Amino acid sequence: MIALNELEDTHRVSTNVQRVGRGPGSKRGKTSCRGHKGDKSRSGYKKRPGQEGGQLALFRKLPCRGFSNARFRTPCFSINLGRIEDLYESGEKVNAETLVKKGFSQKKIKGGIKILGVGELTKKVIIEATSISKNAIKKLENNKIEFKLV
């Protein structure tokens, strides 16, 4: 019969962990593999990426290259057809002002609104948007729903 103290975990490979700071006979005593003095020998030491002592960090020496259009992009508010189906009744206009009135959009966005084609729209609403995705145009034309690019 097997006792609990004789059970072994055969699934995990056992690794011998060498304990440090356990006397001179362990080969890893005294300074515990940290060497003498200096930042790395102290407790609480943390190596920061990019720090090079008193020297100027490498990432600050390298030139800024490339161009990002993110600074000049005007954000647009996007809304799915399925959400329009939930928010609006037949005959209503879908535009930036009505979205703000219904509380869906917090503020009027400079880039206008974009209609995306996720979901189905069966109600006959009038859509005024700055841009409409190809998938949304296809769905609107199939359901004969009026839309206008502003």
Side-chain angles (χ1 to χ4, degrees), residues 4 17 34 40 46 58 64 69 78 91 129 132 135 143:
L4 281 174
V17 177
R34 287 172 174 252
K40 284 188 235 172
K46 184 176 164 189
L58 178 68
C64 298
N69 203 31
S78 55
I132 304 174
N135 193 15
N143 294 339

Side-chain angles (χ1 to χ4, degrees), residues 101-118:
K101 283 180 188 169
K102 289 192 181 277
F104 189 71
S105 162
Q106 268 72 30
K107 59 182 186 220
K108 189 172 179 183
I109 295 174
K110 293 176 190 173
I113 61 170
K114 179 172 182 169
I115 308 296
L116 303 176
V118 178

Side-chain angles (χ1 to χ4, degrees), residues 75-137:
C76 72
F77 183 79
S78 55
I79 184 169
N80 289 314
L81 290 175
R83 192 55 69 102
I84 293 172
E85 176 81 23
D86 298 338
L87 286 173
Y88 288 89
E89 300 299 322
S90 290
E92 284 188 296
K93 262 190 185 175
V94 179
N95 56 24
E97 289 80 35
T98 57
L99 279 169
V100 172
K101 283 180 188 169
K102 289 192 181 277
F104 189 71
S105 162
Q106 268 72 30
K107 59 182 186 220
K108 189 172 179 183
I109 295 174
K110 293 176 190 173
I113 61 170
K114 179 172 182 169
I115 308 296
L116 303 176
V118 178
E120 289 298 321
L121 181 61
T122 55
K123 297 174 183 172
K124 301 293 181 190
V125 291
I126 301 154
I127 295 175
E128 293 176 358
T130 48
S131 60
I132 304 174
S133 71
K134 289 178 185 176
N135 193 15
I137 289 173

